[in-house]
């Protein structure tokens, strides 16, 4: 589906969780359901609907036509195998045998099954947490956000209708996704509320411990000519000393295209930026004296320092607002991380899944096995490669609106409560 209608984030610390291959199903899960979260059933009808929607979305991403879409059908995957055997192969590619195709069908099923269960379970986690905190998403809020995203994604109504026909989703499904994102934003706001207070003492302490971060090093503006061979550098030096404008000399003799295009100017150089020998020459040179040739691994430099800007330390007054914003963000992020850790544990403890539908979000999932450390000395890995539930992980920050491609947070920006990843 278009990015603007995808839910915001993968669940923190459960991103790409391994589907649990073993484990007993919950005896108290009704026969018409795949899982229970508290007293709420996740029915097989709901599961099948979102499973098929996910199948169609994957098919869209690979360019398959709607009439070619066949859902993986365990345990034998007969229909899936038959459908894949009919697909055209690139020239020269041998036709895979039924065993290989069955393995592919099973892999697809496991991935979609896991994704669907994660979405449905964590949707309940989020909805129940919001209800517990008396957080609601009104129909008006949901509709307003939905219409904004619809307008961005589908300028033409016909495109939207075509999407509904091919995606396996209804408008109600999309509204449900948007409602989850509205609840997520409100939940995040409630968690960070009151975490914006930062004392002057805290700001002063941070400044004292991080003064180097607020220091501006000495910079030097240069005029340079870089020649591959010394005779050419000697000729450039002679021309400059005879009064030829630096720009003309650079244009004729320099092989450094960046400074050459700027008339030989190289502004704002700080210590350590240039090749070691050249760097030492730059920062020991007096102002306005032509020096060189300086031999380096890149060639021979002729240069002149035209301006020296001394190093300076920004005062606390100059950076106080910056530090305050940073500390506010850190406090808010800690509140979110603490919430996520507790929320995941509480939610998992009230989630039980039926046999065949067990993922790591389920209380009755077996604990991941820890392998011995490899000879390289790398840390042990847990089964399936997924972090264990409850492990604090960085939470991606969402874009604005009802969902879209998650982008990286600005430095120091608090990151939000995770929402379930849609199928």
């Amino acid at each position: 589906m278009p990015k603007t209608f995808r839910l915001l984030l993968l669940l923190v610390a459960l991103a790409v969780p391994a589907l649990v291959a073993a484990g007993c199903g919950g005896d108290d899960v009704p026969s018409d359901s795949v899982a229970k979260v508290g007293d709420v059933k996740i029915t097989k009808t709901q599961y099948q609907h979102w499973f098929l929607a996910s199948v169609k979305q994957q098919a869209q991403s690979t360019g398959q036509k709607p009439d070619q879409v066949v859902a993986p059908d365990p345990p034998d995957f007969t229909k899936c195998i038959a459908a894949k055997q009919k697909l055209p192969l690139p020239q020269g590619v041998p036709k895979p045998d039924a065993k290989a195709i069955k393995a592919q069908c099973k892999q697809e099923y496991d991935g979609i099954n896991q994704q669907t269960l994660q979405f449905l379970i964590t949707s309940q986690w989020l909805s129940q947490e919001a209800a517990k905190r008396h957080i609601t998403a009104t129909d008006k809020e949901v509709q307003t956000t939905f219409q904004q995203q619809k307008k961005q994604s589908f300028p033409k109504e016909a495109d939207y209708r075509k999407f509904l026909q091919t995606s396996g989703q209804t408008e109600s499904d999309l509204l449900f996704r948007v409602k989850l994102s509205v609840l997520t934003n409100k939940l995040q706001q409630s968690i960070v509320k009151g975490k914006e207070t930062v004392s002057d003492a805290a700001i002063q302490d941070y400044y004292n411990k991080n003064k180097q971060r607020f220091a501006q090093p000495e910079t030097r503006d240069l005029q340079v000519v870089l020649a591959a061979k010394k005779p050419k550098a000697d000729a450039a030096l002679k021309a400059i000393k005879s009064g030829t404008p630096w720009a003309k000399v650079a244009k004729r003799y320099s092989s450094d295209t960046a400074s050459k295009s700027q008339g030989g100017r190289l502004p704002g150089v700080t210590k350590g930026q240039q090749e070691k020998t050249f760097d030492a020459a730059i920062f020991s040179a007096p102002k306005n004296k032509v020096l060189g040739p300086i031999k380096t691994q890149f060639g021979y430099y002729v240069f002149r320092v035209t301006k020296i800007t001394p190093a300076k330390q920004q005062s606390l007054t100059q950076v106080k607002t910056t530090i305050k914003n940073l500390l506010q963000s850190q406090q808010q992020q800690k509140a979110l991380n603490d919430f996520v850790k507790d929320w995941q544990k509480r939610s998992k403890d009230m989630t039980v899944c039926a046999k065949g539908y067990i993922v790591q979000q389920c209380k009755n999932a077996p604990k991941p096995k820890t392998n011995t450390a490899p000879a390289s000395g790398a840390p042990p890995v847990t089964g399936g490669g997924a972090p264990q539930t409850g492990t604090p992980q960085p939470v991606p920050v969402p874009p604005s609106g009802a969902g879209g491609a998650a982008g990286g947070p600005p430095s120091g920006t608090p990151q939000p409560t995770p929402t379930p990843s849609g199928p």
Side-chain angles (χ1 to χ4, degrees):
M1 69 187 300
K3 289 181 179 179
T4 48
F5 276 116
R6 292 195 63 81
L7 283 182
L8 306 179
L9 306 165
L10 293 177
L11 179 65
V12 176
L14 295 176
V16 198
L19 185 67
V20 178
C24 299
D27 294 334
D28 55 347
V29 178
S31 60
D32 65 344
S33 302
V34 297
K36 273 182 66 178
V37 180
D39 295 328
V40 179
K41 298 189 300 183
I42 298 175
T43 67
K44 289 180 178 177
T45 299
Q46 291 172 313
Y47 167 83
Q48 192 66 17
H49 170 77
W50 287 102
F51 182 92
L52 291 175
S54 186
V55 170
K56 289 189 177 182
Q57 288 174 58
Q58 287 199 9
Q60 279 185 322
S61 68
T62 58
Q64 285 183 264
K65 297 178 180 178
D67 57 357
Q68 295 176 321
V69 177
V70 175
D73 48 329
D76 296 326
F77 301 100
T78 306
K79 294 180 181 178
C80 179
I81 294 171
K84 289 187 182 298
Q85 286 176 330
K86 293 178 182 178
L87 295 176
L89 294 170
Q91 188 174 2
V93 176
K95 187 175 182 179
D97 58 28
K99 184 177 180 181
I101 297 176
K102 182 178 181 179
Q104 183 182 356
C105 289
K106 183 180 185 306
Q107 184 180 26
E108 290 177 1
Y109 170 79
D110 287 347
I112 297 171
N113 182 44
Q114 167 187 299
Q115 189 179 39
T116 304
L117 289 167
Q118 178 181 340
F119 170 69
L120 291 170
I121 291 170
T122 54
S123 294
Q124 273 302 317
W125 287 10
L126 177 64
S127 299
Q128 292 188 30
E129 183 67 27
K132 177 183 174 182
R133 293 170 177 258
H134 306 290
I135 294 172
T136 60
T138 66
D139 291 343
K140 183 178 180 181
E141 290 172 323
V142 172
Q143 274 292 341
T144 299
T145 306
F146 172 75
Q147 292 300 332
Q148 290 171 347
Q149 297 299 329
K150 178 183 173 184
K151 186 176 180 180
Q152 291 175 6
S153 299
F154 306 102
K156 297 180 180 179
E157 181 67 18
D159 293 335
Y160 173 64
R161 294 298 165 189
K162 182 179 179 181
F163 164 73
L164 290 179
Q165 291 173 0
T166 58
S167 69
Q169 296 178 89
T170 65
E171 186 163 285
S172 294
D173 295 335
L174 301 182
L175 289 169
F176 175 64
R177 292 174 179 271
V178 173
K179 181 179 180 179
L180 290 176
S181 88
V182 173
L183 289 174
T184 297
N185 291 336
K186 288 188 173 185
L187 181 57
Q188 178 186 340
Q189 291 168 11
S190 73
I191 293 166
V192 302
K193 187 177 181 181
K195 305 299 181 183
E196 65 277 359
T197 302
V198 178
S199 69
D200 288 342
I203 295 172
Q204 179 73 63
D205 182 62
Y206 185 90
Y207 178 77
N208 292 341
K209 291 178 179 177
N210 297 274
K211 278 190 175 182
Q212 190 174 359
R213 291 186 59 180
F214 304 105
Q216 296 177 344
E218 176 186 324
T219 62
R220 296 193 168 205
D221 294 351
L222 312 177
Q223 289 176 312
V224 300
V225 174
L226 173 62
K229 301 294 183 180
K230 189 174 184 298
K232 202 169 185 179
D234 289 335
L237 178 62
K238 183 178 179 181
I240 291 167
K241 288 189 173 182
S242 68
T244 306
W246 201 287
K248 287 187 177 181
V249 177
K251 183 177 181 181
R252 181 175 179 183
Y253 294 103
S254 188
S255 59
D256 179 31
T257 55
S259 61
K260 184 176 181 177
S261 65
Q262 300 297 320
R265 293 188 298 274
L266 187 62
V269 176
T270 58
K271 196 166 184 62
Q273 279 187 335
Q274 301 298 317
E275 192 270 347
K276 186 176 180 180
T277 305
F278 187 37
D279 188 77
I282 292 169
F283 285 90
S284 62
K287 185 179 176 182
N288 292 326
K289 183 176 181 180
V290 180
L291 298 171
I294 305 297
K295 184 180 179 181
T296 72
Q297 61 179 311
F298 305 111
Y300 293 81
Y301 279 98
V302 175
F303 76 99
R304 174 167 59 196
V305 176
T306 59
K307 181 181 179 182
I308 300 175
T309 304
K312 63 180 180 180
Q313 178 72 42
Q314 289 179 290
S315 68
L316 176 60
T317 301
Q318 290 175 305
V319 298
K320 185 174 182 178
T321 300
T322 300
I323 295 174
K324 182 178 180 180
N325 291 338
L326 176 63
L327 295 179
Q328 283 178 339
S329 295
Q330 290 177 348
Q331 290 175 179
Q332 292 170 343
Q333 184 64 62
K334 184 180 184 303
L336 288 168
N337 289 344
D338 290 346
F339 162 77
V340 166
K341 184 177 180 179
D342 174 67
W343 173 60
Q344 288 179 342
K345 184 180 185 304
R346 287 188 288 104
S347 299
K348 180 173 181 176
D349 285 345
M350 64 179 188
T351 302
V352 61
C353 302
K355 186 176 181 180
Y357 300 96
I358 300 175
V359 290
Q360 283 297 332
Q361 290 99 324
C362 308
K363 180 180 179 180
N364 54 325
K367 292 182 179 180
K369 295 180 180 179
T370 302
N371 301 326
T372 53
S376 64
V381 293
T382 57
Q388 294 187 34
T389 304
T391 304
Q393 300 288 321
V395 187
V397 71
S400 59
S411 177
T413 301
Q415 302 173 32
T417 310
T419 63
S421 171

